[in-house]
Amino acid sequence: MPTSSDRTRRPSGRRVRARVPITAALAVVVATGLLAGCSVDAGAPDRTAQPSASHTPLLRTGVPPVALPSASSTPPAPSASGAAGAAGTPDATVPTSASPWHTRIVSTTFWVGEVFDPDASDGSQVLSTYDGKWQAHYGGCDGVVSGTGCETERRTAANGWFPTAMTPRENPFYLDLPYDDVNDRTGFADRDAVVPWSSSAPYSAHAGDQGFSFMKNRWVMIRKDGHVCYGQIEDAGPGQYHDAAYVFGTDDARPANKRYNGAGMDVSPALNGCLGFAEVNGEDDRVDWRFVEAGEVPAGPWRTIVTTSGLTE
């Protein structure tokens, strides 16, 4: 979720991303035509290009570059070994990392372009805490444009759970967890001590660097009722922004968040479909999840486009 009001006050000298009011963000969206037809914004920057040195991408060892599909192409359907298929066959890959499982976690659904509360500072997915132009960089509304704006849609295995009305420029298998290591004051201050991979390269070289996220683009393995899918972290939330005990704990702690039925994760429409959620936009589905390294992520529709972009104002 975008930066909340208590995350806009930071000590001087730290990187500060200007918070755009949601009404202003919507005006920009309409003016640039991002909501019109949910089409790719031709003026948006090429997210496959190497960002500037001040925004180094979080490149993952073991994840080869992949070609972006053309606007007319259809993403390949996943193989039985890559995701839960029509018969619900789970992926057989077993991660070798020591990251613990977080079980029976309520997961809600969010999507790029969603505005669920125009009066709340964290009520829009036009931007994320890591990308001030998330919708533009993603390629548009990750759903269907209606008279009320950008709405979600039911996804199916027929096209790899990709959106039906647009071609994304970034990975449609995305999620958030309630730890913002950049724009939340406590999250940033504590990340070197609580993020398990903070002492490993390339993160160890960015201690105290608010221009580099330890969370963005990290891979997460999620399972539900025999379905196993993978996604990348591209935002923070829901409801909390430095819940280290839950996100990084080893004792299966419950999320601190009390809103949205106590949800501890938001998943994208692609993950919603891949995991077989009962509701397209509800708060009763529960999942198990754990962090995994990029080299442990098997082939599947989540590897069609891999997001590598760094922080963006």
Side-chain angles (χ1 to χ4, degrees), residues 25-101:
L26 286 174
V28 171
V29 169
V30 173
T32 56
L34 285 173
L35 286 181
C38 224
S39 60
V40 174
D41 175 14
D46 181 1
R47 304 298 285 166
T48 63
Q50 186 79 1
S52 64
S54 61
H55 296 299
T56 305
L58 304 185
L59 296 177
R60 299 282 169 251
T61 303
V63 179
V66 293
L68 296 178
S70 66
S72 61
S73 67
T74 300
S79 64
S81 63
T89 304
D91 175 80
T93 302
V94 178
T96 58
S97 63
S99 179
W101 282 105

Side-chain angles (χ1 to χ4, degrees), residues 98-106 177-178 196-197 220-224 243-255 264-265 286-292:
S99 179
W101 282 105
H102 304 262
T103 63
R104 300 290 297 163
I105 302 299
V106 172
L177 289 172
W197 50 87
V220 172
M221 176 183 182
I222 312 172
R223 66 187 182 190
K224 181 184 188 300
D243 189 0
Y246 157 61
V247 175
F248 307 117
T250 59
D251 58 353
D252 202 13
R254 299 297 88 186
M265 171 186 286
R286 294 178 181 269
V287 303
D288 303 338
W289 70 270
R290 65 183 294 183
F291 293 111
V292 292

Side-chain angles (χ1 to χ4, degrees), residues 4-210:
S4 62
S5 58
D6 65 345
R7 292 183 290 154
T8 60
R9 301 184 294 274
R10 306 180 187 85
S12 61
R14 288 185 179 179
R15 173 184 175 276
V16 178
R17 186 191 67 173
R19 184 164 64 93
V20 180
I22 291 173
T23 53
L26 286 174
V28 171
V29 169
V30 173
T32 56
L34 285 173
L35 286 181
C38 224
S39 60
V40 174
D41 175 14
D46 181 1
R47 304 298 285 166
T48 63
Q50 186 79 1
S52 64
S54 61
H55 296 299
T56 305
L58 304 185
L59 296 177
R60 299 282 169 251
T61 303
V63 179
V66 293
L68 296 178
S70 66
S72 61
S73 67
T74 300
S79 64
S81 63
T89 304
D91 175 80
T93 302
V94 178
T96 58
S97 63
S99 179
W101 282 105
H102 304 262
T103 63
R104 300 290 297 163
I105 302 299
V106 172
S107 176
T108 48
T109 301
F110 73 152
W111 56 95
V112 177
E114 175 195 18
V115 179
F116 67 89
D117 186 349
D119 297 320
S121 58
D122 61 350
S124 168
Q125 264 58 249
V126 172
L127 66 161
S128 83
T129 194
Y130 303 123
D131 189 344
K133 298 179 180 179
W134 194 19
Q135 181 167 313
H137 295 154
Y138 184 80
C141 163
D142 188 20
V144 177
V145 174
S146 69
T148 57
C150 176
E151 304 294 338
T152 190
E153 61 178 346
R154 178 69 70 182
R155 302 291 173 84
T156 70
N159 73 332
W161 296 284
F162 268 56
T164 62
M166 56 90 71
T167 300
R169 293 181 174 183
E170 297 183 331
N171 194 347
F173 290 79
Y174 54 84
L175 63 128
D176 68 15
L177 289 172
Y179 197 88
D180 178 355
D181 73 308
V182 175
N183 288 309
D184 182 87
R185 180 183 299 175
T186 301
F188 176 72
D190 293 349
R191 71 179 189 175
D192 289 342
V194 300
V195 177
W197 50 87
S198 63
S199 60
S200 302
Y203 310 99
S204 57
H206 292 277
D209 178 5
Q210 203 169 7

